[in-house]
Every structure is written in C-alpha cells, then in structure tokens.
C-alpha cells in the first residue's frame, strides 16, 4: 500500500497536474460547461413533451391543440441542434482569455470559421419523387452534437492562427482617441482575415479529396474512435478508474476526465435524445447522464452510501460529526466534505473502496441496461445535483427501473464501504480514547 501511495504521489499526481493545467484542455472543458445549462433547459421541455402519465397526451391536446408536442419541442431543437455552434464560440472565447486576447473577437472569428468549413447543402427528396436534390441549407446534424468535434478543432485552430498573427504584431493600431470597441474591431481585422483565408483554403482542398469536408475527416479520424471507446463499458471503466485515482492524489479527477470525455458523451446523449423522440430503440448506454446519474450518486465514488453509514453507524466523535456535515450535501451529489474531511486523499484504508466501488457500480449499471433490466438514459439532461432516485427516474424518461437502479447502487456502495468505514471508525475511536486518557492523566498530575 505504501508503494501504491508513493507511486500515485510521485508519478500520477505531477503528470495529472500538468494535464489539468494544459490551456487547450481547460478551454475545451470550460467551453463545454457553457452548453450544459442550455441542454438542461432543452431537456426540461423534452420531459414535458413526453411525460409518462396516462391520459397526458389527450389532456394537452385538448388545451393546446394537436401540435402541442411539436411546439413544446421547439426549445429542444434550439438548444440541442445548436450545440456545435455554442462550442465553437465558447471554446475559442475561453482559450482567447487564457492568451489575454480580445475573447469576443476571437469567438466571432471562430464561429465564422466553423460555418465556413460546414457544407451548405441538404439532400431533399420531394414528395412523390424518387430522386434527391441538393438544396441550400446547413444540416442541423452538423450544427448539433455531430459537429461538436469539428467545432472544437476549428475553435482551437482559429484561435492559434489568430494568436500567431497578433503575436507578430500584424494588427491595425488606431490612435488613442478612438473608442476601445472600435479599436478592437480594427485590431481583429488582419488576424480575422488570416483565419478566414486559412479555413477557406482548407475547405477548398478538402472538397477535392474523398472526405469532401472537415466534418467527414474529423468524424472518421477522431469522432468514431473516441465514440467507440468512450461509449463502451471498457471506456467507462477507464474513465472512472482514472478519475478516482486522481481524486486520491488530491486532484479533482471528475473535472479533469469529464472535461476530456464530455464532447464524446454529450454527442451520445443527443443521439439517445433523437431516438427517444422518434420512438426508436435507444442506442447508447454510456454517456454523460449514465456517468453523472448512476456513478456519481453522492458525488465521485458513489459516496451517498458512505455518508449514510457515517451518519447512522459511526461511533467516534470525529466520524459522527463528519456524517452530520456530509449527509445533506451527499443527497445532492456533493461530497467535498467527505473527500477532504475523511480525508480520502492518500488514505491507505479508504482509497481501496473509493476506487473499487465505482468499478462495481459502473459494471452493475451497464449490464443492467444492456440486459434490458433497466431502461437506458433517454437523452434528457438532468442536473447532476438531482437527488436519487429522482435523477434515475427522469434520466430514463420517467421509468421506475432507473430510480430502482439508483437505490440498488446506493445499497451496493454502502455494503462495500461498510467494513472499511468500521475499520477507520474503530481507529479514530481508539485515538480519541487514548487522547482522552492522556488528557485525564495530565489533569491528575
């Protein structure tokens, strides 16, 4: 155990720290975070459009007309179908901030660049005809989750080109008396032109290749491999193991791993959403909602069960007090009191279940859905702070099986944590008694 602790402290922690501070990964993470509130807003309308209540459809139709469901899904499309556009703007904005450049100008150029590399044609087959025609328009799939990888690549590339021009001082400088907004606009003219020119040339080159456009080449070379790995059982296991190992070294493992995997998992959420709204079979088990709702019950490491044991079963004063402080936040999937109060960091006793429990929970949850015992997540983005079992019920489209799985996961996690907590609790109780005995002796003397 000492060797493991030493390895984590000397090898994993410095490397993870450097990765966590990498500006491009930080920009991607922070840019993706911008989309989360928008997707949750869209999900609220999606839930209302498909509430699993008998007679609900007829009741809504009698009040709002036959098109009530389609009208209620308009905000869903305005959020989910524009994810790539949000990402193209937000990632460039965050990266420009780190480079101390005008973030709004860089974000605007990134948006133009994304639209420039996106094909402007949609295959349309008129009613009663067999032949498809290309009509002007941008496919919503490419501005939604399918285009997220291109949006990230374009945002990073356009920002770096912009920065290279600014760094060489190839900008138009206005006199001091010119308003700052006007000065910034003219300062962005040459860098912006360089970015747009580069993206235009890139588009023309790709048009004469078998890939035809950037979306196809990025999807083939980057999107598919990441989706296959990130959307698999093995990918989910790797993600939680790395996240937990980072946590025990003192690094916010979930923030780092989720920041890297969110583009993949969000795209899979949207694919589930499209299948759910179309009444088709939901394709993916692993996605953001699977990881947030079924692995993070109580916080990273599925620690709600741990918090309940501390609250009801601990005997030492220190652990009882920690249980009182931790149980309420844990209900809302916040476990910093446990992470830092236990502590879990470099704890030779508790790091074993802290890494083991997520492995078991992900395994149970995955195969419960794979075997059809539990409904898959329906593409509804439920806030990660939603308590169990409400989160599981909503994430699976109002299925009781989702709520039951969350409760089962809490029981499993509590059963695994229990013997380790008792060992730690007895150790703390013994320390308290020894301290109390020492204190009494000193008073007698």
């Amino acid at each position: 155990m000492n060797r493991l602790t030493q390895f984590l402290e000397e090898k994993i922690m410095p490397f993870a720290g450097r990765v966590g501070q990498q500006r491009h990964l930080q920009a991607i993470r922070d840019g993706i975070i911008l989309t989360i509130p928008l997707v949750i807003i869209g999900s609220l309308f999606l839930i209302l459009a498909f509430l699993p209540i008998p007679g609900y459809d007829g009741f809504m139709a009698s009040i709002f007309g036959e098109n009530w469901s389609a009208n209620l899904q308009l905000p869903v499309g305005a959020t989910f179908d524009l994810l790539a556009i949000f990402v193209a703007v937000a990632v460039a904005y965050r990266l420009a901030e780190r480079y101390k450049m005008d973030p709004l100008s860089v974000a605007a150029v990134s948006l133009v660049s994304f639209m420039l590399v996106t094909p402007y044609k949609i295959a349309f087959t008129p009613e009663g005809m067999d032949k498809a025609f290309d009509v002007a328009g941008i496919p919503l799939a490419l501005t939604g989750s399918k285009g997220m990888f291109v949006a990230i690549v374009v945002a990073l590339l356009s920002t770096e080109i912009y920065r290279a021009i600014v760094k060489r001082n190839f900008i138009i400088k206005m006199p001091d008396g010119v308003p700052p907004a006007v000065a910034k606009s003219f300062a962005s003219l040459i860098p912006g032109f360089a970015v747009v020119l580069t993206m235009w040339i890139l588009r023309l080159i790709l048009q004469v290749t078998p890939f035809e456009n950037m979306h196809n080449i990025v999807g083939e070379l980057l999107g598919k491999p990441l989706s296959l790995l990130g959307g698999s059982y093995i990918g989910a296991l790797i993600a939680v193991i790395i996240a937990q190992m980072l946590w025990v070294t003192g690094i916010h493992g979930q923030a780092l791993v989720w920041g890297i995997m969110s583009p993949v998992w969000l795209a899979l959420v949207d694919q589930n959403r499209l299948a759910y709204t179309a009444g088709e079979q939901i394709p993916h088990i692993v996605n953001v909602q699977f990881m947030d709702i079924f692995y993070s019950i109580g916080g990273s490491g599925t620690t709600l069960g741990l918090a309940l044991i501390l609250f009801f079963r601990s005997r030492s004063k220190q652990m009882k007090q920690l249980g009182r402080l931790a149980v309420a936040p844990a209900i809302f999937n916040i476990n910093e009191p446990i992470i830092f109060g236990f502590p879990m960091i470099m704890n030779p006793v508790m790091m074993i279940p802290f890494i083991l429990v997520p492995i078991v929970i992900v395994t149970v949850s995955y195969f419960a859905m794979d075997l059809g015992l539990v409904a898959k997540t329906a593409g509804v983005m439920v806030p990660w702070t939603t308590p169990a079992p409400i989160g599981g019920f909503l994430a699976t489209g109002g299925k009781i099986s989702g709520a039951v799985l969350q409760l089962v996961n809490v029981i499993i996690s509590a059963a695994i944590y229990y013997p380790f907590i008792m060992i730690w609790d007895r150790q703390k109780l013994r320390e308290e008694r020894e301290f109390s005995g020492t204190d009494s002796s000193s008073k007698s003397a």
Side-chain angles (χ1 to χ4, degrees), residues 375-415:
K376 299 175 184 176
T377 56
V380 177
M381 281 291 288
V382 180
W384 61 270
T385 52
T386 306
I390 300 172
F393 177 78
L394 294 176
T396 53
K399 301 295 192 297
I400 295 296
S401 60
V404 172
L405 178 59
Q406 277 199 304
L407 295 177
V408 169
N409 285 347
V410 172
I411 294 171
I412 291 173
S413 67

Side-chain angles (χ1 to χ4, degrees), residues 345-428:
I345 299 168
M346 294 300 175
N347 188 322
V349 175
M350 294 306 300
M351 74 166 58
I352 297 173
F354 192 60
I355 296 172
L356 176 62
V357 167
I359 294 174
V360 175
I361 294 302
V362 166
T363 301
V364 170
S365 300
Y366 182 91
F367 287 103
M369 293 183 181
D370 188 51
L371 296 172
L373 302 176
V374 176
K376 299 175 184 176
T377 56
V380 177
M381 281 291 288
V382 180
W384 61 270
T385 52
T386 306
I390 300 172
F393 177 78
L394 294 176
T396 53
K399 301 295 192 297
I400 295 296
S401 60
V404 172
L405 178 59
Q406 277 199 304
L407 295 177
V408 169
N409 285 347
V410 172
I411 294 171
I412 291 173
S413 67
I416 297 174
Y417 276 121
Y418 186 81
F420 294 92
I421 295 173
M422 291 300 99
I423 292 172
W424 192 254
D425 185 51
R426 284 196 294 270
Q427 179 178 326
K428 292 300 175 183

Side-chain angles (χ1 to χ4, degrees), residues 7 44 50 124 144 170 216 218 224 275 300 323 331 386 414 427 430:
F7 172 77
L44 294 176
F50 293 93
F124 173 70
F170 293 151
N216 290 337
V218 171
K224 284 187 178 180
S300 297
I331 292 173
T386 306
Q427 179 178 326
R430 185 165 55 251

Side-chain angles (χ1 to χ4, degrees), residues 73-258:
Q73 292 182 64
L74 291 175
V76 180
T79 50
F80 281 91
D81 291 339
L82 299 178
L83 279 176
I85 292 178
F86 301 145
V87 169
V89 171
V91 172
Y93 189 99
R94 295 305 185 193
L95 184 56
E97 281 185 327
R98 285 171 171 77
Y99 282 135
K100 308 299 182 184
M101 298 189 298
D102 178 27
L104 190 57
S105 297
V106 177
V109 171
S110 174
L111 176 58
V112 171
S113 300
F114 174 75
M115 302 306 292
L116 184 56
V117 301
T118 301
Y120 291 1
K121 64 179 181 179
I122 300 174
F124 173 70
T125 304
E127 188 176 353
M129 298 184 67
D130 296 329
K131 184 179 179 180
F133 297 89
D134 288 338
V135 297
I138 300 176
L140 286 177
L142 299 185
T143 60
S145 61
K146 190 176 179 180
M148 283 182 61
F149 289 108
V150 173
I152 292 171
V153 171
V154 167
L156 298 179
L157 182 59
S158 61
T159 305
E160 289 298 338
I161 296 172
Y162 194 106
R163 174 175 174 260
I165 302 299
V166 172
K167 194 174 180 180
R168 288 162 176 78
N169 209 27
F170 293 151
I171 59 174
I172 298 175
K173 295 183 178 180
M174 302 299 289
D176 293 337
V178 175
V182 176
K184 287 180 180 179
S185 297
F186 275 90
S188 67
L189 186 58
I190 295 177
F193 177 78
V195 172
V196 172
L197 179 64
T198 303
M199 294 298 175
W200 175 62
I201 294 172
L202 181 60
R203 174 175 176 147
L204 294 179
I205 293 173
L206 290 176
Q207 281 182 178
V208 297
T209 68
F211 289 105
E212 297 183 347
N213 58 67
M214 185 180 283
H215 287 268
N216 290 337
I217 192 171
V218 171
E220 289 292 330
L221 300 182
L222 183 62
K224 284 187 178 180
L226 287 176
S227 295
L228 288 174
L229 176 62
S232 68
Y233 166 66
I234 298 299
L237 275 188
I238 293 173
V240 298
I241 290 172
I242 293 175
Q244 297 308 114
M245 291 183 70
L246 291 175
W247 265 121
V248 299
T249 64
I251 296 172
H252 197 309
Q254 193 165 340
L256 181 58
V257 175
W258 267 231

Side-chain angles (χ1 to χ4, degrees), residues 9-26 246 251 256 260:
E9 191 171 17
E10 294 180 359
K11 303 296 183 182
I12 300 297
M13 189 173 180
F15 173 75
R18 289 194 296 270
V19 172
Q21 294 300 315
Q22 212 284 326
R23 59 170 63 95
H24 297 92
L25 291 178
Q26 287 183 330
L246 291 175
I251 296 172
L256 181 58
I260 297 171

